[in-house]
Amino acid sequence: MHSPLVSGIAYSVRSYAGEYAGHDHAHAQIMFALDGRMELEIGGRAAFTDTSCGMIIPAGVAHTFMSPRGVRMVVIDTPPATGVDRIRRFAVTAACRNDVDPARAAQHLAHVLEAPSILARRGIDLARLDTPVYELAPSHHRR
């Protein structure tokens, strides 16, 4: 699902699987997942996007990425401008996620620019959350 360039902004939903070579664009790129998680390297630093965390990649910044099969990403391509001129991690709000009409590309961009920035975070190993705390402690702390 791709939108035509509306005011120089293009919105699409893309499916990914595998590893992609490093590249950059003359436009800024905004990415977040509808399904799954994508690992990225942006400007030499590790990052990721998923259903709650998106990334703004400014024009001219090299990036590469990899993902398992079945990852669906929202990708917004937009000309360089204030608001998309630095790498930024943002919270994927309901406004970002719920309306996937490509004809509304400019409105999608506005939702992203209004979304709060969030700090870098690590993925959570959900299986470890089910492990009792005493099993995670070093043996000299166990009774």
Side-chain angles (χ1 to χ4, degrees), residues 22-113:
H23 60 282
D24 61 42
H25 306 283
H27 56 269
Q29 198 165 59
I30 298 163
M31 305 176 82
F32 64 88
L34 292 175
D35 296 302
R37 174 184 165 115
M38 178 181 281
E39 302 290 331
L40 299 111
E41 183 178 300
I42 303 170
R45 301 192 87 147
F48 67 89
T49 64
D50 60 18
T51 57
S52 63
C53 174
M55 293 296 300
I56 295 175
I57 305 168
V61 174
H63 56 284
T64 185
F65 50 91
M66 62 182 276
S67 68
R69 184 171 309 282
V71 171
R72 286 187 334 122
M73 302 288 295
V74 167
V75 179
I76 302 171
D77 295 325
T78 185
T82 302
V84 294
D85 55 349
R86 64 184 176 84
I87 297 170
R88 182 169 80 90
R89 181 181 317 275
F90 64 91
V92 178
T93 62
C96 294
R97 182 177 42 251
N98 291 339
D99 180 12
V100 293
D101 179 359
R104 298 165 45 111
Q107 188 165 10
H108 290 293
L109 177 60
H111 290 314
V112 167
L113 296 179

Side-chain angles (χ1 to χ4, degrees), residues 114-133:
E114 293 167 357
S117 294
I118 57 176
L119 298 175
R121 62 181 171 82
R122 296 182 189 179
I124 297 173
D125 180 356
L126 296 177
R128 286 191 60 134
L129 293 177
D130 291 332
T131 304
V133 172

